[in-house]
Amino acid sequence: MGHSAPQLKDQSLFIEKSYINGEWVGAQSGKTFEVHDPATGKLIGTCPELDTADVEKAIQAASEAFPKFRTTLGRERARMLRRWYQLMIDNAEDLAKLITWENGKPLADAKGEVNYAASFFEWFSEEAPRTYGDTIPASVPGNRVMTVKQPVGVCGLITPWNFPAAMITRKIGPALAAGCTVVAKSPQETPFTANALAELAHRAGIPKGVVNIVTSSENTPAVGELITTHPEVRKVSFTGSTNVGRILMKQSASTIKKVSWELGGNAPFIVFDDVEDLDTAVAGAIASKFRSSGQTCVCANRIYVQKGVYEEFSKRFVQKVKEFKLGGGFEDGITHGPVIHERAANKAHEHVQDATSKGAQIVVGGQKATALGPNFYEPTVLTGMSKDMLLASEETFGPVAGLFPFESEKEVVDLANRAEVGLAGYFFSGNVRRIFRVAEALEVGMVGVNTGLISDVASPFGGVKQSGFGREGSKYGIDEFMTIKSVTFGGMGEPLQE
């Protein structure tokens, strides 16, 4: 069962502990949980099974560090984040290996994630000195009004496994830039990337108690409840499923926390028959649907193709999928790795079986790739999809693409909006009037027009409806970790004194 780490340039970045108050610690109970390579099933290592008493220490450390950290100059925090960014770039190869090892994505994709993750530290290092307030003309004679932005306090951050580096930097970056301290719960499937980032934070000179990384598996519900109900935690940011988001939101209500949720998606991807370049639309759909083997919250989940181009689009799309190479992420030439665990493979297969039982046809794939391991599922394309199939209403989170035919613009927008969630949506069209009509009508927080990739540190990331609220990245991201205080000065209307 033993499995040695990939050869890292700096083996000290592989850490089987939790990071609390500037120190690497185990659980008081001595308990640990195992982490396995999704490609091979082999043991990677163990991490501490922290309980609520352990996490209480992390919250207290963050609480004690906050009064001093909040008074640091924005420029000083900027330099800390910039050093952390540079350490990520300097250690990018090792970080990418850790991501591939515990998440399964191909090494090339992992390298791309490291650069994307690091960009949030760079971006928010540039935002830290620019948390401007306002001066406001008062409506009361003699008064002067100004506002200042202040850090909200200790932040609880809960992140998912699909982007082990980027999901944590996208939250920690703005929190530290704002002057907050954090307790981050890393995912039980992929804790080692977060631990490596914590080690780099230590090397970057982030003061002790400012960044705390806690790990747990069986105790995760209890740890989550502590973070969301603890009176010292003033803000919670969560990325994950809508169902878990509902639970955390209910818990957070007990102490009226400031919260931001980035929850599930069910992204529509629409190809109109006035598309200017069908090959570009195919490439966009491939990138959107199959990135990370379909395991991103902004993946195209429902691909709607207008009937005038349906057959030709389907043919070219299937041809591209047939060129994929499935396998372990460290193997040469691999384009797609495993899904995170066997449950994910089972869900993908359930969606395929449901669709075929209701009239869809499998054009490529459609089976578990058991010869490679229990967590591999063949990249799959289904045609003849209809709205009564599970794939139309549930997020697959796997490498299954269903192609739905449609006739009119209004019909497809109605279909696209038939979802309780609204994170991302995409469409391809060459008609500028249609582009504005459809972009404005889609009930989502982010729209990709003539592109299948929308993730960019400069662009606000977040959804509407039951995909949550709040925005990450961009100039808006830091505001999620700040409060606005108004200051009113009275007696200021006197004339110049003789």
Side-chain angles (χ1 to χ4, degrees):
M1 193 70 177
H3 186 37
S4 61
Q7 192 58 47
L8 303 180
K9 291 181 179 178
D10 182 355
Q11 202 64 36
S12 66
L13 290 177
F14 178 73
I15 302 165
E16 298 176 273
K17 296 284 187 181
S18 293
Y19 187 69
I20 297 176
N21 204 24
E23 297 180 357
W24 291 104
V25 300
Q28 293 179 71
S29 65
K31 292 181 179 178
T32 61
F33 63 91
E34 294 184 347
V35 181
H36 295 89
D37 181 341
T40 64
K42 292 181 178 179
L43 180 69
I44 294 175
T46 63
C47 273
E49 181 67 75
L50 299 190
D51 58 23
T52 53
D54 295 307
V55 179
E56 177 75 40
K57 291 181 179 179
I59 294 172
Q60 290 306 317
S63 183
E64 290 168 11
F66 177 64
K68 183 177 180 181
F69 189 68
R70 71 176 298 176
T71 64
T72 55
L73 294 175
R75 179 59 61 193
E76 189 178 348
R77 297 194 298 274
R79 292 189 183 109
M80 292 180 195
L81 285 168
R82 182 71 197 194
R83 289 195 297 269
W84 200 357
Y85 160 79
Q86 191 58 52
L87 284 165
M88 283 192 70
I89 297 301
D90 293 344
N91 292 275
E93 189 175 330
D94 282 350
L95 292 172
K97 287 179 180 177
L98 288 171
I99 291 170
T100 293
W101 195 23
E102 61 184 355
N103 169 276
K105 66 179 65 176
L107 190 58
D109 288 0
K111 290 177 179 178
E113 182 187 339
V114 172
N115 287 329
Y116 178 55
S119 72
F120 288 100
F121 288 157
E122 180 182 41
W123 178 273
F124 286 108
S125 76
E126 296 159 349
E127 293 292 302
R130 298 183 175 85
T131 54
Y132 302 127
D134 295 303
T135 55
I136 302 170
S139 62
V140 177
N143 280 5
R144 301 290 183 268
V145 180
M146 60 175 280
T147 65
V148 293
K149 291 183 178 179
Q150 296 183 314
V152 66
V154 175
C155 300
L157 314 176
I158 304 174
T159 61
W161 49 262
N162 56 341
F163 287 90
M167 294 300 94
I168 201 163
T169 62
R170 196 160 73 182
K171 297 182 189 298
I172 290 182
L176 267 59
C180 298
T181 58
V182 304
V183 176
K185 164 65 177 71
S186 60
Q188 66 198 52
E189 298 89 351
T190 60
F192 295 116
T193 302
N195 281 353
L197 292 176
E199 173 60 24
L200 296 180
H202 179 77
R203 298 178 190 179
I206 308 294
K208 73 174 187 176
V210 172
V211 173
N212 304 275
I213 305 290
V214 298
T215 60
S216 67
S217 179
E218 287 183 6
N219 293 334
T220 293
V223 168
E225 185 173 11
L226 177 67
I227 290 172
T228 52
T229 59
H230 199 291
E232 291 293 320
V233 176
R234 303 295 173 83
K235 156 81 182 185
V236 177
S237 177
F238 168 70
T239 297
S241 73
T242 296
N243 285 337
V244 174
R246 290 190 188 104
I247 295 169
L248 298 178
M249 189 169 179
K250 186 175 182 179
Q251 292 170 353
S252 297
S254 66
T255 45
I256 317 295
K257 297 199 190 306
K258 184 178 175 75
V259 297
S260 51
W261 305 140
E262 195 266 280
L263 308 176
N266 186 357
F269 188 106
I270 304 166
V271 181
F272 290 102
D273 55 16
D274 60 11
V275 59
E276 292 182 340
D277 186 337
L278 196 59
D279 284 333
T280 301
V282 168
I286 290 288
S288 179
K289 172 64 252 183
F290 289 105
R291 185 166 64 116
S292 297
S293 295
Q295 299 176 109
T296 85
C297 52
V298 293
C299 270
N301 200 59
R302 301 165 288 157
I303 301 176
Y304 297 105
V305 185
Q306 202 159 15
K307 287 188 175 179
V309 293
Y310 186 87
E311 292 302 327
E312 185 60 28
F313 178 92
S314 301
K315 184 175 75 173
R316 298 187 195 184
F317 186 82
V318 167
Q319 188 55 48
K320 289 292 183 183
V321 174
K322 286 180 177 178
E323 295 172 5
F324 292 170
K325 186 177 180 184
L326 194 60
F330 290 114
E331 297 174 34
D332 291 338
I334 291 299
T335 59
H336 293 78
V339 291
I340 191 65
H341 42 51
E342 194 170 2
R343 294 192 309 277
N346 290 340
K347 183 178 182 181
H349 195 54
E350 177 191 358
H351 279 197
V352 171
Q353 289 182 311
D354 171 78
T356 55
S357 73
K358 296 172 181 173
Q361 296 81 45
I362 298 172
V363 187
V364 62
Q367 296 293 331
K368 296 178 182 179
T370 51
L372 294 172
N375 300 339
F376 286 89
Y377 198 85
E378 295 176 353
T380 298
V381 181
L382 301 165
T383 58
M385 298 292 293
S386 60
K387 63 185 179 183
D388 62 331
M389 298 171 183
L390 276 179
L391 194 145
S393 58
E394 289 185 10
E395 188 176 27
T396 306
F397 230 65
V400 179
L403 307 185
F404 296 74
F406 75 91
E407 292 187 356
S408 74
E409 180 183 296
K410 185 178 187 309
E411 173 199 1
V412 76
V413 171
D414 287 345
L415 288 168
N417 290 339
R418 277 181 46 146
E420 65 180 18
V421 293
L423 191 58
Y426 309 83
F427 67 93
F428 275 72
S429 170
N431 181 321
V432 69
R433 291 194 178 108
R434 167 174 278 168
I435 285 171
F436 274 88
R437 285 195 306 267
V438 174
E440 292 170 3
L442 288 174
E443 296 173 355
V444 296
M446 299 172 285
V447 179
V449 181
N450 294 329
T451 180
L453 296 174
I454 57 174
S455 294
D456 182 340
V457 66
S459 177
F461 193 102
V464 299
K465 300 198 288 190
Q466 293 189 42
S467 286
F469 43 82
R471 292 296 180 266
E472 295 186 319
S474 80
K475 71 173 185 177
Y476 304 108
I478 196 169
D479 290 338
E480 300 291 337
F481 296 90
M482 306 199 84
T483 57
I484 296 174
K485 177 182 285 183
S486 64
V487 183
T488 301
F489 302 84
M492 304 295 287
E494 295 181 0
L496 292 172
Q497 302 299 296
E498 294 292 343

